[in-house]
Amino acid sequence: MINGAHVVIYSSDADADRAFLRDVLEFRHVDVGHGWLIFALPESEVAVHPGETNNHHEFFLMCDDVDAEIAALAAKGVACDPVTAQPWGRLTKITLPGGGKLGLYQPRHERP
């Protein structure tokens, strides 16, 4: 029986991005040894989209109010891209300390 999913984010500064998930986003976590943190995620969902190639995956965080979340992140010194309107929701990207970006959106679609 499948009982969960494990998401991997690759980063050129994994320690800084782990600290961001722990200290800024305040995700619950366990240390599985030597500072290697595994984080609990909020409720999740998965969608399959058509693509030109296989093995391309994206990871987005979701929220109820993207403007409020951007303001809360800004208060912690976190930069976000301008919000764009998509057919499926309002989208921004959070800049991680390692230089990567995570999508954050307020969905317009029904949630499972």
Side-chain angles (χ1 to χ4, degrees):
M1 170 196 288
I2 296 173
N3 64 8
H6 184 88
V7 175
V8 177
I9 298 172
Y10 291 95
S11 172
S12 61
D13 192 345
D15 288 336
D17 288 347
R18 286 184 196 120
F20 178 86
L21 295 175
R22 181 192 64 216
D23 301 335
V24 176
L25 297 185
E26 300 179 7
F27 286 171
R28 290 181 300 112
H29 62 280
V30 295
D31 186 330
V32 295
H34 309 289
W36 196 271
L37 306 180
I38 304 293
F39 295 90
L41 291 175
E43 184 177 319
S44 302
E45 60 190 37
V46 63
V48 179
H49 291 237
E52 296 292 319
T53 62
N54 290 323
N55 300 318
H56 173 83
H57 313 290
E58 294 185 86
F59 177 67
F60 294 90
L61 299 172
M62 296 183 295
C63 62
D64 292 328
D65 182 341
V66 74
D67 297 310
E69 195 63 35
I70 290 169
L73 290 167
K76 295 179 178 183
V78 178
C80 293
D81 289 356
V83 175
T84 61
Q86 304 296 324
W88 38 267
R90 299 184 66 231
L91 171 69
T92 187
K93 294 202 177 194
I94 300 169
T95 303
L96 297 173
K101 294 193 176 199
L102 284 181
L104 171 68
Y105 81 100
Q106 177 182 334
R108 291 189 177 137
H109 58 80
E110 184 177 349
R111 303 275 313 273

